[in-house]
Amino acid sequence: MALLKIVHYPEPVLLTVGKPVGADEFNDELRKLVENMFETMYSAGGVGLAAPQVGISKRLFVMDVPNDKDESNKIALINPEIVAQEGEQYGDEGCLSFPGIYTKVRREVRTIVRYQDVFGNPQELDCTDLSARCVLHETDHCDGIVFLDRMTSLKRELAKRKIKRLQKTEKWD
Ligand SMILES: [Zn+2]
């Protein structure tokens, strides 16, 4: 396994709509990429990581939002598609492509996502709270949308100022 390099905003790949994973791409190469993405996510201390964040413009992400008992919920979602969402939640959100930025973002509180597993089998996940936040955040990455785009204009302005300061540090290259 190998750690992948996480790209930081405003790397163009983060702002590009990812290509769907084709029917002929559900192979060992894809499964290796997924394992490396899990490794990279755990190493960076995140709960979700999308392919564009490691410089690959494709529609897939990995996530592991532990439940109350710290139980792992390791899951890879290929070609995710939000089919339903409802309610709202306000909570702190971060992103491995924006190191040091945490801010409140409004999200739906429940979502149903349809996706394919690493073998190409169709799956569906009905999730709430932090899992829903993660699914929505990571599916956005597949669409070239970053959480900056989901902030209120005031929070976005403050975040942009902080990003400018952080970009002068080694943490953000
Ligand atoms: Zn992110």
Side-chain angles (χ1 to χ4, degrees):
M1 269 183 272
L3 291 183
L4 307 169
K5 184 177 159 43
I6 295 175
V7 300
H8 296 145
Y9 177 84
E11 197 69 39
V13 68
L14 290 172
L15 309 173
T16 303
V17 179
K19 287 195 185 70
V21 175
D24 57 339
E25 290 181 84
F26 289 85
N27 51 27
D28 286 347
E29 197 185 330
L30 176 72
R31 291 184 278 274
K32 192 176 158 201
L33 169 65
V34 163
E35 281 314 308
N36 288 338
M37 283 173 64
F38 273 119
E39 200 70 8
T40 304
M41 180 188 81
Y42 290 131
S43 163
V47 294
L49 182 70
Q53 295 183 272
V54 291
I56 297 169
S57 194
K58 284 196 176 162
R59 308 185 69 81
L60 72 126
F61 66 89
V62 297
M63 66 182 265
D64 189 345
V65 178
N67 71 8
D68 294 343
K69 291 162 196 151
D70 283 338
E71 217 170 286
S72 168
N73 286 300
K74 190 177 172 184
I75 181 169
L77 295 88
I78 322 287
N79 296 326
E81 190 194 340
I82 304 294
V83 292
Q85 48 188 338
E86 68 171 20
E88 55 182 10
Q89 58 171 323
Y90 291 88
D92 280 325
E93 202 167 302
C95 179
L96 294 176
S97 295
F98 292 74
I101 302 290
Y102 298 93
T103 189
K104 288 230 185 316
V105 178
R106 184 205 159 276
R107 296 279 182 186
E108 285 75 14
V109 75
R110 182 179 176 195
T111 183
I112 297 173
V113 59
R114 219 170 266 160
Y115 64 97
Q116 285 165 284
D117 62 23
V118 291
F119 300 101
N121 301 313
Q123 307 283 353
E124 203 173 86
L125 186 68
D126 182 347
C127 51
T128 58
D129 304 309
L130 185 56
S131 296
R133 176 177 295 283
C134 186
V135 163
L136 293 166
H137 179 117
E138 302 306 333
T139 302
D140 270 356
H141 274 306
C142 297
D143 288 322
I145 295 167
V146 291
F147 79 148
L148 206 55
D149 304 320
R150 300 294 189 190
M151 293 174 194
T152 61
S153 57
L154 177 72
K155 286 202 165 55
R156 186 181 310 124
E157 205 45 53
L158 294 172
K160 279 183 173 172
R161 286 179 201 181
K162 192 168 180 194
I163 289 166
K164 270 199 185 120
R165 289 201 303 275
L166 289 168
Q167 279 171 332
K168 291 173 188 142
T169 68
E170 281 177 7
K171 204 174 161 191
W172 198 308
D173 53 15

